[in-house]
Each structure stands twice: as C-alpha cells, then as structure tokens.
C-alpha cells in the first residue's frame, strides 16, 4: 500500500495534521538500503507531549549519528486520526520515511508514566503487530522499552521482548547495533535475547517466571534460562560530562508543550525525599561541567533559533557550578535575546538575584513545593524545607513585588492525619496574611495564592514502596474536607482526579497479573488514560473484573517487610536495606540529611563511584 | 538603519500542513537562526515586524507566497536568500528577495492585495470524465449566469447566507487532463472582498455535476496579485 498517497487525503481531514508529517528542522531521514538496523522510537502519547521530552532528542541523535543505524519516530495518533487510519487500513507509520512500523527492525517505547501503558498496546495494534510477545513471529520487529517506569517492568512483561534499565544513551545504540548484526546471521529472536543476558541493564521478561503465594504475593521469581542474571543491574553512565548530548535538536513545526533549548546540567539528586522515585533511581549525582553545559546550550540555541533555554535537572540549584553557569548565561541572554527558565529552583538569596535578573520587571508566579502541611509530615517524607524557609522566601518575593504564589502539596502521604491537611490551609492563609503585612494590602485584588494537591502514589524502589495508598473514598473525603478549609479569599484550591491516581498506583507496583488487566482495558478501547477527558472508569472496572484483579490488593495493602516484590528482579542500585531503613525512620518522623553532607549508605556505591557523597561534610 | 524586504517563497510537500501561525513561528525562528535582526514594534508587547501578504489556508500548496519583513540592520538580498534557504526545512524554498524601497509609498503588499490565482485538482474515477461532457461549454454557461449564488456560513450568527459570488470571480477555466479535473481561477482576495476558492469549487462542481470529496482536492495558489 502506498501510505504516502492515502496519507495526503487523511491529513486534510484531521486536526493538527503536522503531527504526522515530520519534516522538522533537525530531522534525519535515512535510506533504508544504507542501514543495518532501523529503530523506531515510540512515545506513547501525542506528538506535542513527546516532542517536549529531552530524552527523545538525546536518543534520536545518539542512534542516528551511527552511520549504519537509523532512528525514526512514532507518537500516539489523535483519536480522529486513529479512527481514519483504522477505517482505511492504514497502519501506524514512522514520521521520517512513512514506513509501517511492522517493517522496522526494532521498536522502543519510552515509559514515562503508567497511564500511557494502554497507548503502547494501542500503537502496536495500530501497527498490525501482535500485542503478546509470545505471539510475535521472528519477522516482526523486536519490541523493547526503557525509561523510569521500566524500574518495575512487570505489568508490561507479556508485551515487551526486552527492557533497558537505566541510562540509555550508550545501551540503546549498542542493542540496535547488536540486533542488526544478529539479524544478518539469520538467528532467531530467542537466541538473540539469550545472547543479551550478560549485558548490564537488559531484562528479558520471558526468561523469568514469578511464582505466587496463595495470598497473591510473589513467592519467588523463577529463572527459566540459567544464564539470565539473578537480578538485572541498572546501566549507569559514570561520566555524563563526556556522554553524548545533542547540539542540534529536532525543532517542531507546530507548538508543543515545551519548545526550547534544553541542557541537562546534572543527573540524580542527593536530597532523599522519601516519596520521590526519581531521587532514588537516578543516583548517584553526576554533573556536566559548566563549560560543556554552556557550549551545548549556546550551540542548541544557534542551531534551533529558539528564544528560550531551560536547564534540566532534578534540583537546579544543587548543581555545584550553578552560580558561574547561570551568570555567564545571563550575560549571553542579554546579548542574544533569549530567555532562561529554571525549573525546580530552591529559593535562596542567590536564586532571587537570578530571578530578578532574568525577569526584569515581568514577574511570573513564585512556585513552592512544601508537599506536606506540617513540619511533622514533612519530616516523615524527608522534605527538608521548613516553615521559615517558606515564609522567608515568600516575604522576600513580596518585597520584590511578586504577585502570585503557587504551592504544591501531596495528599495521602504515609501517617497523614487531618491535622496535616489543616496545615495546608494554614500555610495558604498565612501567605495571604504575610502579603497584607508586607504590602499593607496594596494590590490585594491581584495577589493570588494557588494551592494544588496531588494524590500520593507509592512508587517502587522508594522507601514508601511498602506503604498503602489511600482508598478512593478516603481521597474523596479528604478532598471534600480540604475544600471546606480552603474557602479562603484570594486562595485557589486545585486537586487531582482520584481514580486515575489509583490506576497509576496499580501499575506502579503491579505484577504480571496486572498486565492482563491492561490487555483487557485495551480491548475495551481504553487509551490516553492520563487525560482526564479520555479516562473511562467504567471500561477500566470491566477490565479489572475480566482479568480478576482486585485493585485494592495492589493499592491499599500494606506490604510486609519480608515481602518479595515483583520488581525485586531489578536492581536500581539503591539497596532494599537502605529503603527499609528509610521507611523506619519515616515512621518515627526522623529526617535523613542530604548525602552531600555525609554518605547515608544508600548502596549505590556498589554499582558505581559516587562522586558527591559527603562532599559538603565540612561546610 | 531599518530596511524592508519582500521575500518570495514556495510552500510545498508535507509542510503545506502547517498553519499560518506556525509559518509565522517558523520564519521568525529561521530568521533568528540566520542572525538577521528584525525590527520590533514599539509598545508594551513588542513583536517582530514581519507579515505574510496573504495567509495561505492549511493544506494548500503555495507557489509564490510573499512575506514582508523589516530588519533593524542592512542586509544584502542575496545574503537573506541564501541563508534562509540553507536553514529552512524541506518544503519551504525562497525564490527571490527584493528590497522594498517604498515604491508603493508606505503601503504594505498586504494592504495592496486584491486577488489570488488558484489551481484545484481532483482525481476522477474511471467514467466520471465521460459523464461530465464538454467542460468548456459548461464553464461558459456557468459564467454567463446573471448571478452565481453561493451559500456562505456567517460565523458570528451561525446563519447560512446566500451571496452572489459572480463579481468576485475574475477568471475561471476548467480542463480534464490525465483523468484529473483541473480548475484554474483568479478570485478576489484581500481586505475589501474575498472569495474562497473552495467555495467557488463547490458551487462550480455542483453546476457541472461533479461530485468530490474535500480530502481529494489538491489546492495550489500560484499567484498573489497586488496593486
């Protein structure tokens, strides 16, 4: 079938047709005859979201810079496009060469959030590829997946041939190259997967079989192939300063969520917030030098013509060269007329100086994430921010003329009581009062406090992986309670949809049995579940019933300290002993300091050197 | 010293599926990338001085589109032409760059536009061509009507209005070549009166008895006409 001819007709009928055309600046189109292995990077959400993801840019170029490999892209098509494609039998195709994805050699899905899992199944189906790995013949592409959610790959184990755990910029091209070479020898997928078993970071689910206890928990994880590793160690790039980072980037032709130059200054975080999966699974901290970061930033800006630059890391101001780097970039941004955005900035004095410099009179909102309403609960979650920190920074901001404050909290954290919820209202009210104190009430009409409350989702490989999640009823009750408390003049209160949080929790800590529910949900037409307008609780309930899944077993159950987890086969580097120790300290509301002030023994040093453990010990 | 330039370009291939707004963003970005400094408007929210003479509908190919820019510095037209061409993605090609030395006084091309020339192509199924009969005669008959009524949706009220489009049609010819129906027309476009070539196509095809699906029409603008 000539997709290109048919496609031209479809593009005239759909919303935002540019999602499906490629042809951006930076796009690399290779002739299939000249490459050994054709890889397809799959983002299981819309083009606009996927193209805002920096990981895509890195992997796209790191693969394409190999002459004999190619990387093309696919995204989840919009519902209107999908309908037309299905009606006219047009399979999902890559943007670069409009190749049906079943003709590619390897397809790799990025797992950024659990609620995109049904899109993965839908995309395979749209490509005419059997969903179950066991039903795919050797002439079908190899299907792999990586990204943060791969740290518990089990819900997707039936669908994916192999997972890549950890840093991908070396592992992915290596695997594509190997598959290209292996295919030439005419070997089977099975033999190929066996041959990858020694590679750090590779998990082949078919070589393992979980055995369950009668109560549904995991009894043991049985190996079905003796050479498969007992646990799969995460792949870690020790030196990101010399790791590949693109200086040329794909520049979307249509507006995307983020459309800007991005440089990663550091990977990992030392703060040790107990709810935060990223803070655990990206250890240890690895930094890019300020020179390299600046060079990348300026090259990207020059290449793309972007007028915005963002620094990417889990905690912008913890980057040890933040000060010299940002001062140099500020000079540059004046000369060359671009703006700089700094996510997750800690609001100390230097940050305010920087923000004032950057915004020059145009002040956007001040953002804070206290996460919990009382000091006790903040100690439980190890969020080392005090009320003095919050009010001090807000006071400073008000003095400088800022007129809006955004606050982020979580609800349903372990040990939470209604007193902690009162604390959320308290902080919002106090900030409002602080405003009157500082300004004497001038401009009170414009001053806005927005408090957003997300539902806590316990994640694997965190100290809270043993903890139950609040039931939907409990969340609803708490939302209602807080809504009453938050009826404060000048304060806006937002909260998150409860049901999606339960499903997110289900798949975050799901086992292979939950994959059946995923399959059933796909059959019922579930897709784009992360989008409130598309999430359909009725279909999901049907799916759970058919797969015989009791969701509360996964979400609301407190796990025993001895329990074997489905994801125990994956070794992210942080030891289970450390996580358990942190869990116990949380129960006593004991904080654990940032490990730059002294190593806290998280276990990562067994996998790699930890350059920042204790570096600030003498300060 | 500020300078004004007129950029003539083609928009074809897949890139025809980006909107007018996206074209603005693209040109802005590429001009920036080429280190060409645009002049900015004064005021609270300054924006670069850059505008298309006549927006092109999404999905249309444009053979000879026009962008007007004002730069804050002096540049050679050849430099603008070659650097933009190097930086543009596939599908946009710059044909010519001319300096606007004020021949139209201070008027922009955008304000001087009065018409556009369009070609609409529709692939025909096997026997459609025979059924249509003599296209030239039918076209003449279409044009010789005292008035040509088209139904137009009024956006504000949601009402369907009947309007006479005859005065808005400058030229219209139709032929069938290689089993393709091809309509070529010049229609009024601009600030005073505008006729969408798609509306004309609909009315015309109804008159001659040709059914078509919107998604099958290939629309190309070949010229923007201005005083």
């Amino acid at each position: 079938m000539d997709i290109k001819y048919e496609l031209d007709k479809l593009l005239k009928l759909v919303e935002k047709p540019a999602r499906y055309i490629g042809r951006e600046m930076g796009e690399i189109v290779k002739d299939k005859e000249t490459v050994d292995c054709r890889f397809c990077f799959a983002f299981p959400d819309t083009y606009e979201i996927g193209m805002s993801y920096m990981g895509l840019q890195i992997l796209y170029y790191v693969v394409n810079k190999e002459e004999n490999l190619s990387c093309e892209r696919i995204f989840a098509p919009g519902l209107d496009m999908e309908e037309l494609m299905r009606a006219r039998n047009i399979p999902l195709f890559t943007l670069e060469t409009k190749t049906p994805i079943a003709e590619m050699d390897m397809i790799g899905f990025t797992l950024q959030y659990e609620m995109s899992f049904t899109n993965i199944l839908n995309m395979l189906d749209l490509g005419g590829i059997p969903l179950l790995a066991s039903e795919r013949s050797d002439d079908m592409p190899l299907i792999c997946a990586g990204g943060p959610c791969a740290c518990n790959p089990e819900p997707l184990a039936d669908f994916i041939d192999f997972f890549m755990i950890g840093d991908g910029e070396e592992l992915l091209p290596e695997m594509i190259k190997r598959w290209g070479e292996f295919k030439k020898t005419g070997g089977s997928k099975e033999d190929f997967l066996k041959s990858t078993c020694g590679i750090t970071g590779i998990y082949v689910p078919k070589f393992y079989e979980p055995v369950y206890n009668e109560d549904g928990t995991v009894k043991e994880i049985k190996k079905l192939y003796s050479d498969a590793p007992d646990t799969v160690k995460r792949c870690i790039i020790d030196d990101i300063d010399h790791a590949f980072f693109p200086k040329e980037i794909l520049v979307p032709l249509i507006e995307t969520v983020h459309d800007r130059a991005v440089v990663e200054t550091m990977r990992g975080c030392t703060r040790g917030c107990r709810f935060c999966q990223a803070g655990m699974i990206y250890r240890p901290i690895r930094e890019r030098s300020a020179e390299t970061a600046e060079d990348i930033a300026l090259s990207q800006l020059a290449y793309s013509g972007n007028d915005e630059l963002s620094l990417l890391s889990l905690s912008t101001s913890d980057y040890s060269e933040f000060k010299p780097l940002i001062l140099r970039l500020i000079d540059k941004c004046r000369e060359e007329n671009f703006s700089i955005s700094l996510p997750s900035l800690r609001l100390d004095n230097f940050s305010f100086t920087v923000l004032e410099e950057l915004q020059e009179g145009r002040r956007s909102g001040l953002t804070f994430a206290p996460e919990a309403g009382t000091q006790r609960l903040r100690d439980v979650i190890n969020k080392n921010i005090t009320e003095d920190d919050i009010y001090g920074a807000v006071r400073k901001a008000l003095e400088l003329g800022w007129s809006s404050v955004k606050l982020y909290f979580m609800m349903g954290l372990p040990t939470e009581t209604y007193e902690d919820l009162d604390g959320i209202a308290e902080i919002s009210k106090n900030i409002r009062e602080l405003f009157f104190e500082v300004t004497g009430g001038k401009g009170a009409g414009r001053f806005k406090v927005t408090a957003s409350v997300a539902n806590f989702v316990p994640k694997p490989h965190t100290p809270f992986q043993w903890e139950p999640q609040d039931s939907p009823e409990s969340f609803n009750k708490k939302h209602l309670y807080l809504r009453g408390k938050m009826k404060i003049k000048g304060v806006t209160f937002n909260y998150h949809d409860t049901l999606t949080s339960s499903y997110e929790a289900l798949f975050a800590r799901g086992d292979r049995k939950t994959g059946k529910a995923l399959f059933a949900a796909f059959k019922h037409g579930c897709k784009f579940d992360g989008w409130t307008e598309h999430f359909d609780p009725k279909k999901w309930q049907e799916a759970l019933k058919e797969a015989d899944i009791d969701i509360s077993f996964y979400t609301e159950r407190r796990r025993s300290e001895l329990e074997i987890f489905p994801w125990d086969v994956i070794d992210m580097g942080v030891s289970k002993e450390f996580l358990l120790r942190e869990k116990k300290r949380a129960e006593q509301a004991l904080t654990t300091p940032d490990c730059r002030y002294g190593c806290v023994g998280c276990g990562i040093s067994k996998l790699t050197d930890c350059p920042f453990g204790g570096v600030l010990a003498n300060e | 010293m500020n300078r004004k330039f007129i950029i003539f370009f083609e928009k074809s291939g897949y890139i025809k599926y980006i909107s007018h707004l996206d074209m603005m963003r693209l040109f802005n970005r590429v001009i920036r990338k080429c280190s060409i400094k645009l002049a900015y408007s004064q005021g609270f929210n300054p924006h670069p001085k850059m505008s298309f003479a006549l927006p092109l509908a999404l999905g249309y190919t444009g053979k000879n589109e026009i962008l007007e820019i004002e730069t804050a510095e002096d540049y050679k037209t050849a430099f603008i032409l070659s650097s933009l061409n190097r930086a543009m993605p596939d599908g946009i090609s710059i044909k010519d760059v001319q300096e606007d030395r004020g021949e139209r006084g201070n008027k922009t091309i955008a304000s001087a536009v009065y018409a556009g020339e369009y070609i609409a192509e529709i692939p025909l199924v096997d026997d459609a061509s025979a059924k249509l009969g003599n296209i030239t005669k039918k076209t003449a008959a279409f044009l010789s009507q005292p008035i040509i009524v088209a139904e137009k949706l009024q956006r504000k009220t949601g009402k369907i209005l009947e309007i006479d489009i005859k005065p808005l049609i400058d030229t219209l010819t139709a032929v069938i070549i290689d089993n393709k129906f091809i309509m070529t027309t010049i229609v009024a476009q601009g600030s005073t009166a505008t006729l969408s070539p798609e509306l004309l196509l609909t009315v015309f095809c109804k008159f001659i008895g040709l059914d078509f699906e919107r998604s099958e029409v290939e629309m190309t603008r070949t010229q923007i006409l201005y005083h």
Side-chain angles (χ1 to χ4, degrees):
Chain A
M1 161 188 280
D2 186 359
I3 286 192
K4 288 176 189 170
Y5 175 72
E6 285 297 314
L7 180 58
D8 213 32
K9 287 200 241 168
L10 259 55
L11 291 174
K12 296 196 173 86
L13 299 172
V14 297
E15 233 180 277
K16 299 189 190 170
R19 286 167 164 176
Y20 313 106
I21 62 173
R23 302 302 170 265
E24 305 94 335
M25 282 163 62
E27 186 192 37
I28 296 170
V29 183
K30 293 189 183 179
D31 179 357
K32 69 173 179 184
E33 304 303 330
T34 66
V35 294
D36 295 335
C37 195
R38 302 174 80 194
F39 175 69
C40 172
F41 183 98
F43 194 97
D45 210 313
T46 60
Y47 177 87
E48 292 92 314
I49 294 175
M51 285 299 289
S52 308
Y53 168 54
M54 194 57 217
L56 182 157
Q57 303 270 10
I58 299 176
L59 297 175
Y60 187 73
Y61 286 97
V62 86
V63 175
N64 272 321
K65 81 181 167 64
E66 303 294 325
E67 208 180 314
N68 58 340
L69 307 180
S70 69
C71 177
E72 307 194 17
R73 291 164 295 153
I74 54 169
F75 301 89
L79 299 187
D80 57 344
M81 184 65 166
E82 177 181 342
E83 200 180 310
L84 288 170
M85 287 167 71
R86 288 195 187 275
R88 302 186 186 196
N89 285 317
I90 297 180
L92 188 60
F93 54 86
T94 62
L95 297 194
E96 276 70 10
T97 57
K98 314 289 183 281
T99 303
I101 59 168
E103 291 171 25
M104 300 297 283
D105 295 312
M106 191 192 279
I107 299 173
F109 284 92
T110 179
L111 310 177
Q112 297 296 314
Y113 37 91
E114 292 82 1
M115 298 313 280
S116 68
F117 286 177
T118 50
N119 279 4
I120 296 176
L121 304 192
N122 196 37
M123 286 165 79
L124 287 175
D125 186 62
L126 261 175
I129 296 172
L131 304 187
L132 292 171
S134 58
E135 287 176 7
R136 283 194 296 265
S137 56
D138 271 359
D139 58 359
M140 278 287 167
L142 205 56
I143 311 293
C144 59
C149 293
C151 73
N152 175 22
E154 292 305 274
L156 292 170
D158 290 345
F159 314 105
I160 303 291
D161 293 313
F162 71 91
F163 290 88
M164 283 168 281
I165 315 293
D167 298 326
E169 54 263 77
E170 286 171 8
L171 188 56
L172 177 64
E174 169 73 18
M175 292 301 288
I176 301 170
K177 205 177 296 172
R178 277 173 181 256
W179 178 230
E181 280 161 15
F182 200 88
K183 273 192 104 164
K184 278 188 201 164
T185 68
S188 69
K189 266 187 200 167
E190 169 96 10
D191 287 342
F192 173 73
L193 292 172
K194 281 183 175 165
S195 77
T196 66
C197 274
I199 303 171
T200 304
I202 299 300
Y203 171 61
V204 181
K206 70 187 287 190
F207 296 151
Y208 302 84
E209 183 185 33
V211 182
Y212 299 99
N213 293 309
E214 250 168 55
D215 65 3
T217 56
V218 176
K219 188 174 178 205
E220 62 166 322
I221 297 168
K222 224 165 71 184
K223 273 203 302 189
L224 302 180
Y225 171 57
S226 58
D227 283 349
D230 294 340
T231 56
V232 173
K233 289 193 173 28
R234 179 179 136 226
C235 176
I236 301 173
I237 290 176
D238 298 317
D239 173 12
I240 69 158
D241 193 37
H242 291 95
F244 175 83
F245 202 87
K247 293 183 177 180
E248 298 183 357
I249 50 173
L250 285 154
V251 186
L253 293 164
I254 57 174
E255 250 179 289
T256 54
V257 180
H258 295 304
D259 190 359
R260 56 197 190 187
V262 179
V263 59
E264 183 192 32
T265 51
M266 113 187 145
R267 204 170 290 182
C269 178
T270 50
R271 301 220 161 236
C273 300
R274 291 175 181 135
F275 56 86
C276 179
Q277 189 183 49
M280 299 292 156
I281 66 172
Y282 291 113
R283 289 179 181 219
I285 275 201
R286 290 148 290 161
E287 293 194 343
R288 191 161 265 123
S289 70
E291 291 85 65
T292 314
E294 184 185 355
D295 176 39
I296 290 168
L298 298 179
S299 307
Q300 264 187 33
L301 286 164
Y303 177 80
S304 64
N306 269 326
D307 55 8
E308 189 185 342
L309 167 71
S310 177
L311 301 186
L312 179 71
S313 70
L314 291 170
S315 178
T316 304
S317 21
D318 284 346
Y319 171 53
S320 63
E321 292 184 86
F322 176 60
K323 206 164 175 172
L325 176 64
I326 195 67
L327 292 176
R328 278 217 296 279
L329 287 174
I330 286 173
D331 278 348
K332 283 282 178 194
C333 84
R334 293 235 171 81
E335 264 168 54
E336 313 209 348
N337 209 6
F338 60 86
S339 66
I340 302 178
S341 71
L342 298 171
S344 44
L345 197 63
R346 288 183 87 81
L347 294 170
D348 51 21
N349 281 334
F350 178 66
S351 300
F352 272 109
T353 316
V354 168
L355 289 175
E356 285 293 300
E357 293 264 354
L358 287 180
Q359 299 182 329
E360 288 183 345
R362 279 195 215 183
R363 292 179 191 89
S364 55
L366 190 73
T367 304
F368 255 114
E371 309 292 3
T374 61
Q375 195 57 49
R376 183 200 66 82
L377 192 53
R378 282 193 297 275
D379 288 345
V380 168
I381 63 176
N382 208 39
K383 179 87 191 182
N384 290 309
I385 179 174
T386 65
E387 234 134 271
D388 285 350
D389 293 336
I390 300 170
Y391 298 136
V394 170
R395 177 181 292 273
K396 173 102 191 177
L398 291 171
E399 283 165 2
L400 290 167
W402 297 55
S403 65
S404 92
V405 176
K406 279 189 207 151
L407 301 167
Y408 289 97
F409 295 98
M410 269 188 284
M411 182 180 272
L413 288 162
T415 77
E416 181 184 74
T417 65
Y418 278 79
E419 240 168 74
D420 299 304
L421 300 183
D422 293 343
I424 294 175
E426 200 64 26
I427 292 173
S428 311
K429 201 159 68 196
N430 287 345
I431 288 176
R432 185 84 188 149
E433 273 163 20
L434 204 57
F435 170 80
F436 283 96
E437 192 191 312
V438 173
T439 65
K442 227 180 101 201
R446 270 189 303 121
F447 182 68
K448 243 178 64 184
V449 178
T450 309
S452 301
V453 175
N455 302 324
F456 171 62
V457 177
K459 298 271 170 154
H461 302 284
T462 69
F464 291 157
Q465 61 180 349
W466 289 271
E467 298 294 327
Q469 188 190 37
D470 270 9
S471 67
E473 295 74 36
S474 166
F475 273 132
N476 287 339
K477 225 172 99 189
K478 287 179 177 176
H479 286 149
L480 222 59
Y481 175 81
L482 199 50
R483 217 170 61 185
K485 287 269 169 186
M486 294 294 276
K487 288 203 172 111
I488 308 166
K489 196 169 180 286
V491 176
T492 312
F493 172 52
N494 301 322
Y495 55 91
H496 205 260
D497 182 47
T498 298
L499 275 176
T500 44
S501 306
S502 307
Y503 284 92
E504 190 186 329
L506 166 65
F507 292 112
R509 291 187 294 174
D511 53 21
R512 289 199 185 183
K513 291 178 276 185
T514 62
K516 310 271 184 293
L518 211 52
F519 192 80
F522 155 75
K523 289 275 181 205
H524 280 284
C526 292
K527 61 193 87 159
F528 289 109
D529 297 305
W531 299 55
T532 325
E533 65 267 40
H534 296 310
F535 179 75
D536 188 337
K538 275 207 193 92
K539 287 181 186 166
W540 270 104
Q541 267 153 24
E542 278 298 307
L544 291 184
K545 210 188 291 168
E546 280 164 35
D548 198 18
I549 293 286
D550 170 12
I551 188 169
S552 64
F553 173 80
Y554 296 92
T555 56
E556 293 166 38
R557 184 171 59 88
R558 183 179 297 282
R559 274 80 165 159
S560 114
E561 288 175 6
L562 300 172
E563 185 168 328
I564 296 168
F565 293 133
W567 56 90
D568 278 352
V569 65
I570 306 295
D571 178 3
M572 294 305 283
V574 172
S575 69
K576 206 170 177 180
E577 294 73 43
F578 169 73
L579 296 177
L580 197 56
R581 210 154 68 225
E582 280 294 287
K583 170 194 183 267
K584 288 178 177 160
R585 289 180 71 83
E587 280 159 8
Q588 302 162 56
L590 290 173
T591 59
T592 297
D594 185 324
C595 58
R596 282 171 303 171
Y597 295 98
C599 176
V600 296
C602 72
I604 193 69
S605 50
K606 270 191 227 134
L607 283 194
T608 180
D609 285 339
C610 177
F612 284 85
V615 285
L616 301 181
N618 299 322
E619 285 189 17
Chain B
M1 182 55 197
N2 284 14
R3 292 265 189 257
K4 289 180 180 176
F5 295 94
I6 307 166
I7 297 169
F8 297 89
F9 66 96
E10 181 177 315
K11 180 192 187 192
S12 63
Y14 283 117
I15 215 159
K16 71 185 179 203
Y17 293 108
I18 73 170
S19 68
H20 176 64
L21 215 69
D22 295 326
M23 285 290 281
M24 294 282 280
R25 283 168 12 98
L26 176 64
F27 268 90
N28 197 3
R29 184 196 292 279
V30 169
I31 287 169
R32 199 185 151 88
K33 174 175 170 171
C34 296
S35 304
I36 295 167
K37 291 199 162 58
L38 288 176
Y40 274 74
S41 66
Q42 303 291 309
F44 186 71
N45 219 342
H47 55 272
K49 291 193 173 175
M50 178 182 99
S51 67
F52 290 98
L54 187 62
L56 184 65
L58 188 137
Y60 285 26
T61 299
K63 286 288 180 200
N64 219 349
E65 295 298 296
I66 300 170
L67 176 78
E68 297 170 274
I69 63 170
E70 187 174 329
T71 61
E73 284 171 25
D74 195 9
Y75 299 97
K76 292 223 158 53
T77 53
F79 166 77
I80 297 177
L81 181 102
S82 64
S83 50
L84 288 189
N85 261 337
R86 216 172 311 129
M88 275 295 172
D90 253 17
I92 304 283
S93 84
I94 313 294
K95 302 284 187 200
D96 192 19
V97 178
Q98 293 171 8
E99 185 164 356
D100 182 351
R101 295 179 200 275
E103 293 88 346
R104 280 175 315 281
N106 249 343
K107 272 174 78 178
T108 59
I109 292 183
S111 65
V113 168
Y114 65 90
E117 183 187 58
Y118 292 86
I119 299 175
E121 295 184 338
I122 304 172
L124 298 176
V125 283
D126 308 328
D127 61 336
S129 148
K131 268 197 209 155
L132 279 174
N134 188 327
I135 286 281
T136 320
K137 263 191 189 162
K138 282 188 171 176
T139 310
F142 177 73
L143 289 172
S144 64
Q145 301 173 92
I147 58 166
I148 300 174
V149 177
E151 291 184 338
K152 199 175 172 182
L153 181 79
Q154 199 181 30
R155 284 232 176 104
K156 265 188 201 158
T157 59
K159 276 187 205 154
I160 292 172
L161 297 180
E162 287 199 341
I163 53 164
D164 176 17
I165 59 170
K166 192 173 177 185
L168 306 178
I169 305 168
D170 187 11
T171 66
L172 172 69
T173 59
V175 288
I176 293 169
I177 298 171
D178 292 342
N179 230 16
K180 245 187 208 169
F181 169 81
I182 302 170
M183 176 189 91
T184 307
T185 183
I186 294 177
V187 290
Q189 305 244 281
S191 49
T192 47
T194 284
L195 171 60
S196 141
E198 252 176 271
L199 182 62
L200 172 59
L201 183 71
T202 310
V203 176
F204 181 53
C205 286
K206 200 173 161 194
F207 183 85
I208 62 170
L210 172 63
D211 283 335
F212 66 93
E213 261 183 64
R214 221 192 97 227
S215 65
E216 287 178 339
V217 183
E218 267 306 319
M219 202 57 105
T220 304
R221 178 155 76 198
T222 42
Q223 281 307 333
I224 295 171
L225 302 161
Y226 55 97
H227 293 297

